[in-house]
Amino acid sequence: MASQLQRPTDKRVLLMGTCLCDAFYDDVAKATVEVLEHLGVTVEFPDNQTCCGQPAFNSGDWVASRKVARHTASVFSRELPVIVPSGSCAAMNFHGNPLQFEENPDASIDSLARRTWEVMDFIFNGLGIKKWPGKFANPTRIAFHRSCHSRGTGSGEATLKLLESIENAVVSPFGQAEQCCGFGGTFSVTFPHISGRMGSLKLDHILETNPDILVSGDMSCLMHLTGLAITQGRPIEHLHAIQILRNSLPS
């Protein structure tokens, strides 16, 4: 997988904000910038970026997704790391795009794949930050959901280790942790009842541990699970992992 190739670790990076940051989770993008700048990284945000192309890709419309992918590769064409606060969008860059261009290789697509990092992976494996200097005021139980798109990458383990290193943080394991939350992007639209049942089952396992916060590296998973939780009358506080890192820093 392209994510396992040698990737650049420069202290100047390009931030890919993602559609969900733009539409719903703007503070995740803000937290990403604040954490990276805390670590001495200079962050640039190309303002003509759009979607990574994943919705069209997952729906089988590869003609449309290739068009979006080429635009993304053009926007992020500079030889700098591309940092993404989303396991699924990062995976689209370094796995989905090379797959859909397999028969017609494109150097710009290969370059984007080689330079893309999910943000927690970048902090832990790229910058070598193995312990986070953060602290919760009180013992805080965290339920960490590993998204499907982070499988086969360094993101899941990086996020877990950084969360566990925060003072007063307790990451509580829950049943069937590796199972999908049911979102799956367009899957949740095409098969809403299956998607909802999968999410409810995941939520059952998470809530059994009585966590204070649900954390993930994918906003889409958080949106799906917390939407179900609110609808079902059992809401839970949720944060992206990068927000946890930012919020736990000494003020």
Side-chain angles (χ1 to χ4, degrees), residues 208-243:
E208 281 177 358
T209 67
N210 194 31
D212 297 303
I213 308 174
L214 169 61
V215 177
S216 181
D218 261 298
M219 293 162 282
S220 54
C221 299
L222 291 174
M223 181 173 67
H224 181 61
L225 289 170
T226 57
L228 286 168
I230 292 170
T231 301
Q232 296 169 8
R234 45 180 185 168
I236 179 173
E237 183 180 352
H238 67 287
L239 288 171
H240 188 286
I242 199 69
Q243 291 174 298

Side-chain angles (χ1 to χ4, degrees), residues 13-210:
V13 304
L14 303 174
L15 173 62
M16 184 173 178
T18 82
C19 300
L20 284 178
C21 278
D22 183 50
F24 301 108
Y25 292 96
D26 58 306
D27 189 61
V28 172
K30 182 180 178 182
T32 299
V33 174
E34 291 173 344
V35 167
L36 291 176
E37 289 184 343
H38 173 78
L39 296 173
V41 177
T42 300
V43 182
E44 298 181 22
F45 184 84
D47 58 10
N48 55 339
Q49 61 183 281
T50 55
C51 176
C52 67
Q54 185 179 169
F57 176 81
N58 289 346
S59 298
D61 187 357
W62 285 18
V63 173
S65 62
R66 287 190 189 104
K67 182 177 180 180
V68 178
R70 289 191 181 97
H71 172 75
T72 300
S74 174
V75 170
F76 294 95
S77 61
R78 295 170 58 193
E79 279 296 315
L80 292 173
V82 177
I83 309 302
V84 192
S86 164
S88 62
C89 297
M92 182 63 196
N93 280 358
F94 60 62
H95 180 65
N97 281 340
L99 181 64
Q100 68 175 338
F101 282 91
E102 200 167 33
E103 295 182 1
N104 296 285
D106 185 311
S108 67
I109 296 297
D110 292 339
S111 173
L112 179 62
R114 176 180 54 78
R115 293 180 289 111
T116 294
W117 290 87
E118 184 274 327
V119 63
M120 303 297 285
D121 188 13
F122 179 70
I123 292 170
F124 190 82
N125 294 307
L127 299 180
I129 308 298
K130 304 301 183 181
K131 183 176 181 180
W132 191 249
K135 178 181 180 179
F136 286 112
N138 300 298
T140 302
R141 293 174 66 85
I142 294 173
F144 169 50
H145 167 63
R146 295 177 184 245
S147 66
C148 297
H149 281 97
S150 68
R151 294 173 183 169
T153 75
S155 297
E157 193 64 16
T159 304
L160 178 61
K161 294 297 185 184
L162 288 170
L163 290 175
E164 288 179 333
S165 71
I166 297 172
E167 188 175 347
N168 278 334
V170 179
V171 181
S172 303
F174 54 85
Q176 299 186 27
E178 296 301 321
Q179 292 299 317
C180 175
C181 73
F183 179 63
T186 52
F187 174 83
S188 64
V189 177
T190 309
F191 304 102
H193 299 297
I194 299 174
S195 172
R197 186 67 190 95
M198 291 172 67
S200 295
L201 181 60
K202 170 68 80 170
L203 198 56
D204 289 343
H205 288 296
I206 290 171
L207 294 178
E208 281 177 358
T209 67
N210 194 31

